[in-house]
Amino acid sequence: MSRFDGRRVVISVQGRRLLCPAWEYARQTFREQVPGLLERYQRRTSRLTRQLGAVVTELAGRAGSRLSAVLAVAVSRSTALRLLMRLPPPPPRIPR
């Protein structure tokens, strides 16, 4: 359940369930991945993760959590810090 412009919105994504014909594997069925929308095992879209990453890069911890709540994306301060730690380091600047 998400909110958009103060209204509750339900987004339903349907993916196919695929069957693996090889019987030697423990897992026999797999879900189709939606490229560019969701990463594997994530609860947020890639776009929302990038937006939260921009917020927590500037305001880590409690301040990032408070600003994300104002933006209608509630995350705890520990989640904000975890997200910050998962971001790749910025490219090194080459001095002139």
Side-chain angles (χ1 to χ4, degrees):
M1 186 74 60
S2 299
R3 292 199 174 267
F4 179 75
D5 195 26
R7 300 182 183 124
R8 290 174 32 172
V9 177
V10 176
I11 300 171
S12 177
V13 178
Q14 292 182 350
R16 296 179 293 181
R17 183 176 286 273
L18 307 170
L19 178 65
C20 181
W23 290 99
E24 63 267 11
Y25 298 112
R27 187 164 201 165
Q28 295 296 316
T29 61
F30 301 89
R31 284 279 183 191
E32 179 180 36
Q33 297 292 313
V34 182
L37 180 63
L38 296 172
E39 297 294 325
R40 196 168 187 187
Y41 304 117
Q42 297 300 309
R43 294 178 176 260
R44 291 189 247 358
T45 62
S46 302
R47 180 178 170 198
L48 180 58
T49 303
R50 283 193 308 273
Q51 289 173 345
L52 283 173
V55 169
V56 300
T57 299
E58 298 300 323
L59 305 168
R62 290 183 187 182
S65 175
R66 284 193 303 264
L67 181 59
S68 66
V70 170
L71 297 173
V73 183
V75 294
S76 67
R77 66 177 186 224
S78 58
T79 302
L81 289 174
R82 236 184 347 262
L83 182 61
L84 180 62
M85 296 304 288
R86 272 193 287 156
L87 291 175
R93 297 178 62 183
I94 300 172
R96 301 180 86 190

